[in-house]
Amino acid sequence: MTTRRELANAVRALAMDAVEAAKSGHPGMPMGMADIAEVLWNDFLKFNPANPKWCDRDRFVLSNGHGSMLQYALLHLTGYDLPMSELKRFRQLHSKTAGHPEANETPGVETTTGPLGQGLANAVGFALAEKVLAAHFNRPGHVIVDHRTWVFLGDGCLMEGISHEVASLAGTWGLNKLVAIYDDNGISIDGEVHGWFTDDTPGRFEAYGWHVIRGVDGHDAAAVKRAIEAALAQDGKPTLICCKTIIGFGAPHKQGKEESHGAPLGKDEVAAARERLGWPYPPFEIPAEIYAGWDHRARGAAAEQAWRDAFAAYAKAYPELAAEFERRQRGELPADWAASSQAYVEKLQAEGPEVASRKASQMTLDAFGPLLPELIGGSADLAGSNLTKWKGSLDAGNGDSAGGKGNYVYYGVREFGMSAITNGLALHGGFIPYDATFLVFSDYARNAVRMSALIPAHAIHVYTHDSIGLGEDGPTHQPVEHLGSLRLIPDNQVWRPCDAVESAVAWKAAIERKGRPACLVFSRQNLRHQHRTAAQLAAIARGAYVLSDPAGAKFKAILIATGSEVELAMEAARTLAQQDVPVRVVSMPCTEAFDAQPLEYREGVLPSWCRARVAVEAASTDYWRKYVGLDGEVVGMTGFGASAPAAQLFEHFGFTVAHVVDAVKRVVG
């Protein structure tokens, strides 16, 4: 009969062989955690290899993603569509076995991990999604949402500051279906971690409100199984299982050392490890009896069928809820969404409110929130400033106000953790999540925003106080380079609307951008309403459009502006018209959306024959060179802001009609 150790050794062998074939990788962690993974995947994890997206599957997250061969070996052995040929192509171009696990590239990988600690944060998002979704849909005698989130993590994940942020929230929220298994091997790239990592990790997590199981021998399958059973037996808290392991377990000369962490073991050491482990098979060869011991296809199919039977009974008892659940799992917007959201945009255009775009954002949430039960979001302790709470907001984390059926998350001052949790909520399915902070603090969150685009995840990141216009708080709070930084993230749409109408269109576009992220950037100060024709209104969603053309004359220059600077551009255009310098004004709320338009449309807005162009934005100037060219000018920021009332700051830094007029005259010549 095949033993647990033999099953685990298959993982070790595949990890050694794949890293050796690639001549790069991290064999140590997979070899050290193989025994733990064998117990979890064979005895506890609920999944169906034939349907990696089954909605009530357990979520498994490899936060220490450098050990990716552990996950690839597990996926292959248990029956996912990840053939041995892909393991042999580990870390090669266009393979399904990238250096770090990538969602949407490899079946069974729930999220893209690599930046340490973010996998744990995503897992907290998965667990929060399960809790809230269960509260929304489960009914007495009919439980259709009932799964767990499991996360492997290492010393590096726990050293990263994001782990503190999200572990604190998980304990506060009582995410009892979250189980983290800590690979305590004492080794990182630089060697033994006791020189730079002496935290009392179990005590730290107990202080967060976690259930902690200490001192588990990670190479004793029976001990690991008892620990997991203890985690499942408790209620009301997330669990951290602390497993002591030997990195590179089985490699006689390199186990327990940093040499096994991030480099191939070498031909001789691999051979020695095979002998030590009693694994006589050639590279990438797995005996039939080992495959049989790992094969999860029949068990997985049975588990999913049992759920489908339960869901059929649920649908019979609660047909409307069942239909709503299925719609949200498909990621489809409600049937009345398109007409209702467009009607709201048209209503705003007719009414013309002159409010700060952050207020327009809240007004839009009040209008869109009742249409979208899947909308869930929150703010990093700035709800009163970001204006992200809407009339139907109820606490989702603790659920005290709605019996667990909330839709608003209080994140506290945790921008990075918040944004990575948002990615987890998006990836789980059934939700459209948003988060919020001041634009300047997107610096804290940026790597998670980058991951939103890289994964990709349908995450909406809301940023307010978008320029020096926030005023007296001064340069520490005044974003300058942040818009350009966010725009540089591939496939990340950044919207900076000029009035309430563009704000609503920005929200609409972000909600409809299925599977991909957006950043919505709003002002503190009131913005003037802009008059538009029906054609102009329809063109907002294209990212840029002609807001104003001179009457009866061909324009000599183009003014391009975003956000609060659009009204400045319009005033400058009126002044220039009086001086016989006709100009076109282009509002460009989203450069990425505009760049994706057909050439014909882009040429119609920014014709190539007109090289006299001026861009106006209260942010760093360099980004706009792509639109104005060498012959154009940018009215923007070339340094940091200052502490003063907004009106004084705009005048001091040159955001005046006179300054813009002079810039246009210079480019016209």
Short mmCIF file of all heavy atoms in Angstrom, two decimals, residues 351-377:
data_model
loop_
_atom_site.label_atom_id
_atom_site.label_comp_id
_atom_site.label_asym_id
_atom_site.label_seq_id
_atom_site.Cartn_x
_atom_site.Cartn_y
_atom_site.Cartn_z
N GLU A 351 -29.76 67.95 -15.19
CA GLU A 351 -29.85 68.73 -13.96
C GLU A 351 -28.63 69.61 -13.73
O GLU A 351 -28.73 70.69 -13.14
CB GLU A 351 -30.05 67.79 -12.77
CG GLU A 351 -31.39 67.06 -12.80
CD GLU A 351 -31.53 66.07 -11.66
OE1 GLU A 351 -30.51 65.82 -10.96
OE2 GLU A 351 -32.64 65.54 -11.46
N GLY A 352 -27.44 69.13 -14.12
CA GLY A 352 -26.22 69.92 -14.04
C GLY A 352 -25.77 70.29 -12.64
O GLY A 352 -25.48 71.47 -12.38
N PRO A 353 -25.68 69.36 -11.70
CA PRO A 353 -25.22 69.71 -10.35
C PRO A 353 -23.75 70.14 -10.36
O PRO A 353 -22.94 69.60 -11.10
CB PRO A 353 -25.40 68.41 -9.57
CG PRO A 353 -25.30 67.33 -10.60
CD PRO A 353 -25.93 67.90 -11.84
N GLU A 354 -23.43 71.15 -9.57
CA GLU A 354 -22.05 71.61 -9.44
C GLU A 354 -21.55 71.22 -8.06
O GLU A 354 -21.75 71.94 -7.08
CB GLU A 354 -21.96 73.11 -9.69
CG GLU A 354 -22.39 73.47 -11.11
CD GLU A 354 -21.91 74.84 -11.57
OE1 GLU A 354 -21.34 75.58 -10.74
OE2 GLU A 354 -22.08 75.15 -12.76
N VAL A 355 -20.93 70.07 -7.99
CA VAL A 355 -20.46 69.49 -6.73
C VAL A 355 -19.04 68.98 -6.93
O VAL A 355 -18.56 68.84 -8.06
CB VAL A 355 -21.37 68.33 -6.28
CG1 VAL A 355 -22.77 68.81 -5.98
CG2 VAL A 355 -21.39 67.22 -7.32
N ALA A 356 -18.36 68.70 -5.83
CA ALA A 356 -17.07 68.03 -5.92
C ALA A 356 -17.28 66.66 -6.55
O ALA A 356 -18.32 66.02 -6.33
CB ALA A 356 -16.45 67.89 -4.54
N SER A 357 -16.31 66.20 -7.31
CA SER A 357 -16.51 64.89 -7.94
C SER A 357 -16.56 63.77 -6.91
O SER A 357 -17.15 62.73 -7.17
CB SER A 357 -15.46 64.63 -9.02
OG SER A 357 -14.15 64.77 -8.53
N ARG A 358 -15.94 63.97 -5.73
CA ARG A 358 -16.11 62.95 -4.68
C ARG A 358 -17.57 62.88 -4.24
O ARG A 358 -18.08 61.80 -3.92
CB ARG A 358 -15.19 63.23 -3.49
CG ARG A 358 -15.45 64.52 -2.76
CD ARG A 358 -14.70 64.63 -1.45
NE ARG A 358 -14.89 65.92 -0.82
CZ ARG A 358 -14.59 66.19 0.45
NH1 ARG A 358 -14.10 65.25 1.22
NH2 ARG A 358 -14.80 67.39 0.94
N LYS A 359 -18.25 64.02 -4.19
CA LYS A 359 -19.67 64.03 -3.85
C LYS A 359 -20.48 63.43 -4.99
O LYS A 359 -21.44 62.66 -4.76
CB LYS A 359 -20.15 65.45 -3.57
CG LYS A 359 -21.64 65.55 -3.22
CD LYS A 359 -21.97 64.74 -1.96
CE LYS A 359 -23.45 64.85 -1.60
NZ LYS A 359 -23.79 64.00 -0.44
N ALA A 360 -20.10 63.73 -6.23
CA ALA A 360 -20.77 63.12 -7.37
C ALA A 360 -20.61 61.61 -7.35
O ALA A 360 -21.53 60.87 -7.73
CB ALA A 360 -20.20 63.70 -8.67
N SER A 361 -19.46 61.15 -6.90
CA SER A 361 -19.23 59.71 -6.76
C SER A 361 -20.21 59.09 -5.77
O SER A 361 -20.81 58.04 -6.03
CB SER A 361 -17.79 59.45 -6.31
OG SER A 361 -17.59 58.11 -5.93
N GLN A 362 -20.40 59.76 -4.63
CA GLN A 362 -21.34 59.25 -3.64
C GLN A 362 -22.77 59.27 -4.17
O GLN A 362 -23.55 58.33 -3.95
CB GLN A 362 -21.26 60.08 -2.36
CG GLN A 362 -22.09 59.52 -1.22
CD GLN A 362 -21.98 60.37 0.03
OE1 GLN A 362 -22.13 61.60 -0.02
NE2 GLN A 362 -21.69 59.73 1.15
N MET A 363 -23.12 60.33 -4.89
CA MET A 363 -24.44 60.40 -5.51
C MET A 363 -24.64 59.24 -6.49
O MET A 363 -25.73 58.64 -6.55
CB MET A 363 -24.61 61.73 -6.24
CG MET A 363 -24.66 62.95 -5.34
SD MET A 363 -24.30 64.53 -6.20
CE MET A 363 -25.45 64.46 -7.56
N THR A 364 -23.59 58.91 -7.22
CA THR A 364 -23.67 57.80 -8.17
C THR A 364 -23.83 56.48 -7.43
O THR A 364 -24.61 55.60 -7.85
CB THR A 364 -22.43 57.78 -9.06
OG1 THR A 364 -22.33 59.03 -9.76
CG2 THR A 364 -22.50 56.64 -10.06
N LEU A 365 -23.12 56.31 -6.33
CA LEU A 365 -23.28 55.10 -5.53
C LEU A 365 -24.71 54.98 -5.01
O LEU A 365 -25.28 53.88 -4.96
CB LEU A 365 -22.29 55.09 -4.37
CG LEU A 365 -20.84 54.75 -4.73
CD1 LEU A 365 -19.92 55.01 -3.54
CD2 LEU A 365 -20.72 53.30 -5.17
N ASP A 366 -25.29 56.11 -4.61
CA ASP A 366 -26.69 56.09 -4.16
C ASP A 366 -27.62 55.63 -5.29
O ASP A 366 -28.63 54.96 -5.04
CB ASP A 366 -27.11 57.48 -3.68
CG ASP A 366 -26.60 57.80 -2.29
OD1 ASP A 366 -26.33 56.85 -1.52
OD2 ASP A 366 -26.46 58.99 -1.97
N ALA A 367 -27.28 55.99 -6.52
CA ALA A 367 -28.11 55.61 -7.66
C ALA A 367 -27.84 54.19 -8.12
O ALA A 367 -28.76 53.43 -8.45
CB ALA A 367 -27.88 56.58 -8.82
N PHE A 368 -26.56 53.80 -8.16
CA PHE A 368 -26.19 52.48 -8.69
C PHE A 368 -26.27 51.38 -7.64
O PHE A 368 -26.50 50.22 -7.98
CB PHE A 368 -24.76 52.53 -9.25
CG PHE A 368 -24.61 53.32 -10.52
CD1 PHE A 368 -23.36 53.51 -11.09
CD2 PHE A 368 -25.72 53.87 -11.16
CE1 PHE A 368 -23.20 54.24 -12.27
CE2 PHE A 368 -25.58 54.61 -12.34
CZ PHE A 368 -24.30 54.79 -12.89
N GLY A 369 -26.06 51.73 -6.38
CA GLY A 369 -26.04 50.71 -5.32
C GLY A 369 -27.29 49.84 -5.29
O GLY A 369 -27.18 48.61 -5.24
N PRO A 370 -28.49 50.42 -5.32
CA PRO A 370 -29.69 49.58 -5.30
C PRO A 370 -29.83 48.68 -6.53
O PRO A 370 -30.54 47.67 -6.48
CB PRO A 370 -30.83 50.61 -5.26
CG PRO A 370 -30.22 51.84 -4.67
CD PRO A 370 -28.82 51.86 -5.19
N LEU A 371 -29.15 49.02 -7.61
CA LEU A 371 -29.20 48.19 -8.83
C LEU A 371 -28.26 47.00 -8.75
O LEU A 371 -28.40 46.04 -9.51
CB LEU A 371 -28.81 49.03 -10.05
CG LEU A 371 -29.61 50.30 -10.34
CD1 LEU A 371 -28.99 51.06 -11.50
CD2 LEU A 371 -31.07 49.97 -10.63
N LEU A 372 -27.26 47.06 -7.83
CA LEU A 372 -26.16 46.10 -7.83
C LEU A 372 -25.99 45.48 -6.44
O LEU A 372 -25.15 45.93 -5.65
CB LEU A 372 -24.86 46.79 -8.25
CG LEU A 372 -24.80 47.37 -9.66
CD1 LEU A 372 -23.57 48.24 -9.81
CD2 LEU A 372 -24.80 46.25 -10.69
N PRO A 373 -26.72 44.44 -6.13
CA PRO A 373 -26.53 43.79 -4.82
C PRO A 373 -25.14 43.19 -4.66
O PRO A 373 -24.71 42.91 -3.54
CB PRO A 373 -27.60 42.70 -4.82
CG PRO A 373 -27.99 42.50 -6.24
CD PRO A 373 -27.79 43.82 -6.91
N GLU A 374 -24.40 43.02 -5.75
CA GLU A 374 -23.05 42.47 -5.67
C GLU A 374 -22.00 43.52 -5.32
O GLU A 374 -20.82 43.19 -5.11
CB GLU A 374 -22.66 41.79 -6.99
CG GLU A 374 -22.69 42.68 -8.21
CD GLU A 374 -23.99 42.56 -8.99
OE1 GLU A 374 -25.06 42.75 -8.38
OE2 GLU A 374 -23.94 42.28 -10.21
N LEU A 375 -22.39 44.78 -5.26
CA LEU A 375 -21.43 45.85 -4.96
C LEU A 375 -21.04 45.81 -3.48
O LEU A 375 -21.89 45.80 -2.60
CB LEU A 375 -22.05 47.20 -5.30
CG LEU A 375 -21.09 48.39 -5.39
CD1 LEU A 375 -20.13 48.23 -6.55
CD2 LEU A 375 -21.89 49.69 -5.56
N ILE A 376 -19.73 45.76 -3.22
CA ILE A 376 -19.23 45.74 -1.85
C ILE A 376 -17.97 46.60 -1.81
O ILE A 376 -17.16 46.56 -2.74
CB ILE A 376 -18.94 44.31 -1.36
CG1 ILE A 376 -18.53 44.30 0.13
CG2 ILE A 376 -17.88 43.62 -2.22
CD1 ILE A 376 -18.45 42.90 0.72
N GLY A 377 -17.84 47.42 -0.80
CA GLY A 377 -16.67 48.29 -0.77
C GLY A 377 -16.47 48.96 0.56
O GLY A 377 -17.26 48.77 1.50
#
